[in-house]
Amino acid sequence: MGSVTDDQQIAFLPGSSACQSAPRRNRRYGAARFSTLVLSALTLAGCASMVSPKPKDPDALAEYEEANDKYEPLNRKMYNLSVWVDKYSMRPVAKAYVWAVPRPVRSSLGNMVRTMNEPVVFFNDVGAGKPRRAGDSFARWCINMTVGIGGFIDVAKYAGYPHHDNDGGLTLATWGIPSGPYLFLPMMGPSSIRDGIGYGIDQGLSPWNYVPRGYGLITFNWAYNIMGTINTRADHLDDLDQVQRDALDPYATIRSAYQQQRKAVADSIRNDHRATVPDWYN
């Protein structure tokens, strides 16, 4: 469950947008996540007890509609399960990782994960009809994969190409497709029907999913995904601890932060009307 940081994602457990780009293993993971979404949707459709009834009081109704969480009873159960599993699995591993690995190394690994996901950002920028953003994404990938030593150093940021977020769910949002009800997917965190579909689209857009076997790539895929997952969880260790410690209702806090952040990023993409030609060209 990432916090509102540069990752622009509230990811309750790592395994979300920051760790999307690895070939064979990630394809299985993407299928598993999409299957989880479909199963959750079927479960929700068949269980009336999982639906929060609409309140009749106008103020309560306005709050209900703003939360967009008609499946809150089930979502809270999935949240509590995820908190429990995280407490005894990923959190201890992330704390040991932070203790053992220096911050500069963790930062470099985060840069690599972000660079590996840059093609997905590029294709979504194209799909959103934002050629300037797509050009920036392409330039970032080329610079960081070469001068940045495979993405370990974010040279592109210093060259005038800072990272920006985009994914399938955000692209669908720019097309005007509604998010659908809020969902908390077990062990995967905050999402929605639209973002779940967008995640499936991203798996199809990632070129790393089409890299052939051999040359040690399977081993690299496993190492990359595992390290990316641990690194992402470690990046948000303090944020999640603070939410659990200080928030009156951590579930509602995470839900609100996730929804506000997704809307803010979608609006920023939609309102990006920069000229296609970079400033330095003029």
Side-chain angles (χ1 to χ4, degrees):
M1 109 189 113
S3 61
V4 184
T5 64
D6 291 339
D7 291 333
Q8 295 296 319
Q9 175 74 16
I10 301 292
F12 184 76
L13 289 176
S16 54
S17 61
C19 306
Q20 292 180 9
S21 50
R24 184 180 166 90
R25 188 246 181 193
N26 209 35
R27 197 176 313 157
R28 291 197 298 268
Y29 177 82
R33 176 166 182 156
F34 189 73
S35 298
T36 299
L37 178 69
V38 173
L39 181 60
S40 299
L42 292 175
T43 301
L44 294 171
C47 299
S49 62
M50 299 301 178
V51 179
S52 297
K54 280 189 176 183
K56 297 181 179 180
D57 178 75
D59 293 336
L61 179 60
E63 184 176 346
Y64 173 89
E65 292 178 344
E66 181 181 2
N68 190 30
D69 191 5
K70 63 185 295 185
Y71 301 115
E72 183 173 350
L74 178 61
N75 284 334
R76 283 188 178 272
K77 291 180 183 296
M78 295 301 99
Y79 168 80
N80 291 333
L81 173 63
S82 297
V83 169
W84 184 84
V85 173
D86 180 69
K87 179 180 179 180
Y88 296 104
S89 59
M90 286 305 303
R91 186 177 182 278
V93 172
K95 287 180 69 70
Y97 174 75
V98 170
W99 176 82
V101 181
R103 181 179 293 274
V105 177
R106 301 200 307 270
S107 179
S108 294
L109 290 171
N111 289 337
M112 182 198 71
V113 171
R114 179 173 290 171
T115 298
M116 292 293 185
N117 192 54
E118 209 69 58
V120 174
V121 176
F122 165 77
F123 287 122
N124 277 294
D125 287 337
V126 173
K130 301 297 181 180
R132 173 63 184 273
R133 291 173 65 93
D136 290 351
S137 299
F138 183 75
R140 277 186 55 80
W141 187 80
C142 292
I143 293 172
N144 286 344
M145 286 296 290
T146 54
V147 184
I149 315 176
F152 283 98
I153 304 173
D154 192 355
V155 179
K157 177 175 66 175
Y158 302 104
Y161 297 98
H163 172 74
H164 66 263
D165 289 295
N166 204 351
D167 57 49
L170 293 171
T171 297
L172 294 177
T174 63
W175 294 352
I177 297 176
S179 69
Y182 174 80
L183 298 175
F184 196 98
L185 301 180
M187 313 321 303
M188 295 177 185
S191 188
S192 66
I193 299 297
R194 183 186 65 203
D195 288 349
I197 295 172
Y199 183 86
I201 294 173
D202 289 343
Q203 294 305 307
L205 293 176
S206 177
W208 310 113
N209 288 335
Y210 305 100
V211 174
R213 298 179 61 180
Y215 306 102
L217 289 176
I218 298 297
T219 301
F220 171 79
N221 294 343
W222 279 98
Y224 162 74
N225 276 272
I226 293 172
M227 185 58 65
T229 298
I230 295 173
N231 195 71
T232 301
R233 181 63 179 89
D235 284 345
H236 306 302
L237 195 59
D238 293 338
D239 300 324
L240 299 182
D241 286 350
Q242 182 177 0
V243 169
Q244 294 296 329
R245 182 179 63 249
D246 299 338
L248 294 177
D249 184 352
Y251 170 83
T253 299
I254 292 170
R255 178 185 63 197
S256 177
Y258 176 80
Q259 293 174 332
Q260 290 180 34
Q261 175 268 327
R262 295 294 286 178
K263 182 180 185 302
V265 178
D267 288 343
S268 69
I269 295 172
R270 192 180 296 110
N271 296 327
D272 188 345
H273 303 300
R274 292 176 298 163
T276 303
V277 179
D279 296 335
W280 53 261
Y281 185 82
N282 297 321

